[in-house]
């Protein structure tokens, strides 16, 4: 699902069956893996933006399985690359 500004939205389901709607800020292909920078999808712009980085680890019935990054070095590297990409997009506008 996309809005008029080009953002992508996705619904994920946790292990307990609870659904969460997330806005995908950007995706990154790095070191043979796909990473997504996401934030909870809300209409309340007064809330502080909470960004999470998830890694696509495998395919499950044609759906990607997303997980948190547990390796600190990997998380730091991916975070820096994603921030560079997000700020590069801002500079182009």
């Amino acid at each position: 699902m996309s809005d008029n500004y080009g953002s992508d939205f996705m619904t994920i389901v946790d292990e307990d069956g609870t659904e969460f709607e997330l806005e995908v800020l950007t995706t990154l292909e790095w070191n043979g893996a796909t990473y997504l920078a996401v934030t909870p999808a809300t209409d309340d712009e007064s809330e502080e933006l909470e960004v999470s980085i998830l890694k696509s680890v495998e395919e499950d019935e044609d759906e990607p399985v997303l997980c948190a990054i547990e390796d600190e070095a990997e998380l730091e590297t991916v975070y820096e690359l994603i921030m560079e990409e997000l700020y590069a997009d801002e500079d182009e506008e």
Side-chain angles (χ1 to χ4, degrees), residues 13-25:
V13 180
D14 70 7
E15 295 169 345
D16 299 324
T18 306
E19 290 186 359
F20 298 92
E21 181 145 1
L22 302 174
E23 180 178 0
V24 179
L25 302 175

Side-chain angles (χ1 to χ4, degrees), residues 1-58:
M1 171 188 343
S2 295
D3 67 11
N4 294 335
Y5 302 106
S7 296
D8 292 324
F9 292 86
M10 64 188 301
T11 301
I12 62 171
V13 180
D14 70 7
E15 295 169 345
D16 299 324
T18 306
E19 290 186 359
F20 298 92
E21 181 145 1
L22 302 174
E23 180 178 0
V24 179
L25 302 175
T26 190
T27 59
L28 173 72
E29 297 287 332
W30 178 74
N31 216 19
T34 302
Y35 300 87
L36 293 86
V38 299
T39 187
T42 65
D43 292 333
D44 185 5
E45 293 184 20
S46 65
E47 290 185 26
E48 188 174 320
L49 186 64
E50 179 183 319
V51 177
S52 299
I53 299 174
L54 302 174
K55 181 178 182 179
S56 180
V57 292
E58 59 188 62

Side-chain angles (χ1 to χ4, degrees), residues 67-85:
C67 68
I69 302 169
E70 295 182 15
D71 180 272
E72 280 296 317
E74 178 184 12
L75 180 59
E76 284 182 37
T77 301
V78 171
Y79 175 81
E80 289 176 15
L81 291 170
I82 285 177
M83 289 300 113
E84 286 176 14
E85 185 174 311

